């Protein structure tokens, strides 16, 4: 009956103890009037520092091929976008999104802080305050409008076992591994947890417990049926695909979701990069394409932004990989 057991048994996390990028806040929370639904922002962090140069390939640059004699993607295999840049062949599922102008690529984007520590750089990426370790909340939490009494208990959701730094802050947020597992199955245990949280003298803990129970109640109806993606969408079996599947379900259920967060690890490719990187991109591209397809008519009010803590070196290393660099795609 310990609080720790409650968190473990439900597969959720209660969040505990600078400003958001303006364009993201405007895009996510623009009010389209009573006839339109509030927009949803989905943030995806590629942990490990993705090699942007082999994801979005500068195939018109001779230096790219000179600096990567082994790792460069042959020009004939690149999916050309504009005569200069093109997609890695494993990102072919994204080609239709580009052609329909539903995909934008920002090149050479990165943090102004020079750290090449994954831990520090990810913290800065999530806090939105590069170079400042003392920031206690995350930019995605700060981007939420001030909480109102009518706010949904699942207005901010992270898919995973713990609430990420970017969603910690004064606005309520929950973490869940899946909608199906976001529950306490034992009714006696559930009653005990409710009593424990309601009677605690810690006001913040009591509030977080109340918010979590409200979220569980709201999602109870969704747990009763299996989710079938729309429009023939097929999500890959990895973590990112399944996370986006859960997020799509929340969006289409119209439960008041405003921001969602997912992440995908494995992008730290120092050694023998080619095959592992291709596998990662295959899952990444398939997951984004399936999410886009599944949303169907909902696409118009959903913005997805992907990011990584920093890029990788333009020149390949002696281990047929790449090392920590600066900006990326």
């Amino acid at each position: 009956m310990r609080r720790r057991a409650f968190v473990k048994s439900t597969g959720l996390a209660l969040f505990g103890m600078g400003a958001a990028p303006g364009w993201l806040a405007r895009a996510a929370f623009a009010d389209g009037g009573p006839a339109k639904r509030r927009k949803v922002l989905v943030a995806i962090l590629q942990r490990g520092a993705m090699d942007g140069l082999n994801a979005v390939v500068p195939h018109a640059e001779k230096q790219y091929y000179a600096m990567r004699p082994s790792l460069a993607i042959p020009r004939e295999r690149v999916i050309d976008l504009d005569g200069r840049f093109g997609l890695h062949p494993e990102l072919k599922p994204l080609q239709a999104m580009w052609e329909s102008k539903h995909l934008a690529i920002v090149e050479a984007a990165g943090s102004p802080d020079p750290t090449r520590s994954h831990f520090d750089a990810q913290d800065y990426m999530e806090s939105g305050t590069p170079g400042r370790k003392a920031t206690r909340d995350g930019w995605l939490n700060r981007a939420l409008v001030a909480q109102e009494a009518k706010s949904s208990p699942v207005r901010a959701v992270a898919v995973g076992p713990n609430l990420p730094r970017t969603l910690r802050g004064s606005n309520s947020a929950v973490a869940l591994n899946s909608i199906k597992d976001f529950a306490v199955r034992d009714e006696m245990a559930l009653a005990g947890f409710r009593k424990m949280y309601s009677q605690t003298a810690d006001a913040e803990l009591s509030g977080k417990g109340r918010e979590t129970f409200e979220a569980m109640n709201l999602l109870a109806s969704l747990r009763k049926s299996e989710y079938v993606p729309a429009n023939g969408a097929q999500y890959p079996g990895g973590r990112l695909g399944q996370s986006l599947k859960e997020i799509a379900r929340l969006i289409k259920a119209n439960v008041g979701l405003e921001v969602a967060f997912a992440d995908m690890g494995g992008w730290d490719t120092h050694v023998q990069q080619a095959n592992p990187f291709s596998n990662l991109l295959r899952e990444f591209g398939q997951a984004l394409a399936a999410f886009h397809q599944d949303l169907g008519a909902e696409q118009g009010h959903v913005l997805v932004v992907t990011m990584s803590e920093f890029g990788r070196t333009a020149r390949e290393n002696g281990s047929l990989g790449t090392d920590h660099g600066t900006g990326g795609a």
Side-chain angles (χ1 to χ4, degrees):
M1 295 298 290
R2 298 191 305 272
R3 295 187 181 96
R4 186 177 304 165
F6 171 65
V7 172
K8 184 176 180 181
S9 67
T10 57
L12 59 89
L14 306 175
F15 77 78
M17 313 266 318
W23 68 272
L24 282 177
R26 289 192 299 273
F29 307 113
D31 185 359
K36 296 184 179 180
R37 296 170 61 174
R38 183 181 291 273
K39 294 187 177 183
V40 180
L41 174 63
V42 180
I44 299 172
L45 179 56
Q46 295 166 274
R47 298 189 188 276
M50 184 194 71
D51 179 18
L53 290 177
N54 268 23
V56 184
V57 182
H59 61 83
E61 297 286 346
K62 294 181 179 179
Q63 278 292 90
Y64 166 73
Y65 291 97
M67 298 174 81
R68 295 187 171 201
S70 301
L71 286 181
I73 309 301
R75 194 165 188 181
E76 64 272 14
R77 295 186 62 217
V78 175
I79 301 169
D80 181 53
L81 298 178
D82 63 356
R84 294 184 59 207
F85 289 93
L87 296 175
H88 187 288
E90 292 294 353
L91 291 181
K92 186 172 178 56
L94 304 185
Q95 184 178 8
M97 294 168 59
W98 170 267
E99 293 174 349
S100 63
K101 300 188 184 301
H102 286 174
L103 171 66
I105 297 168
V106 182
E107 272 288 7
S111 170
D113 188 86
T115 181
R116 292 296 166 262
S117 159
H118 290 293
F119 304 104
D120 287 347
Q122 287 180 30
D123 275 354
Y124 296 155
M125 186 67 69
E126 293 193 62
S127 69
T129 57
R132 287 170 47 197
K133 293 188 177 183
T135 306
R136 293 177 60 84
D137 57 5
W139 73 261
L140 195 52
N141 191 288
R142 295 195 301 275
L144 287 161
V145 295
Q147 190 157 345
E148 304 169 353
K150 61 181 179 180
S151 296
S152 168
V154 290
R155 66 192 304 235
V157 170
V159 183
N162 302 299
L163 198 74
R165 184 184 181 96
T166 191
L167 273 177
R168 297 176 189 171
S170 59
N171 289 300
S172 63
V174 294
L176 54 85
N177 277 319
S178 70
I179 294 171
K180 181 179 179 181
D181 295 330
F182 193 65
V184 178
R185 307 295 180 185
D186 188 304
E187 290 297 325
M188 290 184 62
L190 178 59
F193 286 130
R194 287 185 184 277
K195 182 178 180 181
M196 179 179 64
Y197 276 91
S198 65
Q199 293 180 349
T200 179
D202 187 324
E204 181 179 6
L205 189 59
S206 175
K208 302 314 172 192
R210 182 183 66 254
E211 291 165 1
T212 302
F213 292 126
E214 290 173 352
M216 289 168 54
N217 293 338
L218 181 63
L219 299 181
S221 61
L222 296 182
R223 292 195 297 270
K224 295 178 182 178
S225 60
E226 289 295 322
Y227 177 66
V228 179
N231 306 309
Q234 295 185 345
Y235 288 92
R239 173 173 172 172
L240 181 62
Q242 296 309 299
S243 295
L244 290 179
K245 183 178 178 180
E246 297 292 332
I247 293 170
R249 189 177 187 184
L250 290 172
I251 291 171
K252 293 195 287 184
N254 197 21
V255 292
L257 182 69
E258 298 175 33
V259 300
F261 177 87
D263 58 9
M264 179 183 182
W267 299 97
D268 194 17
T269 49
H270 288 281
V271 179
Q272 299 289 336
Q273 173 176 313
N275 288 336
F277 188 72
S278 292
N279 294 336
L280 288 166
L281 284 186
R282 184 182 308 122
E283 179 185 348
F284 181 70
Q286 290 177 355
L288 289 179
F291 184 65
H292 184 259
Q293 185 176 352
D294 187 11
L295 288 179
E298 304 283 351
Q299 294 171 3
H301 67 271
V302 178
L303 172 70
V304 179
V305 58
T306 72
M307 64 198 81
S308 197
E309 63 262 36
F310 43 75
R312 307 195 73 82
T313 51
R315 190 181 302 277
E316 66 182 51
N317 62 28
S319 302
L320 298 183
T322 51
D323 298 317
H324 297 178
T326 53

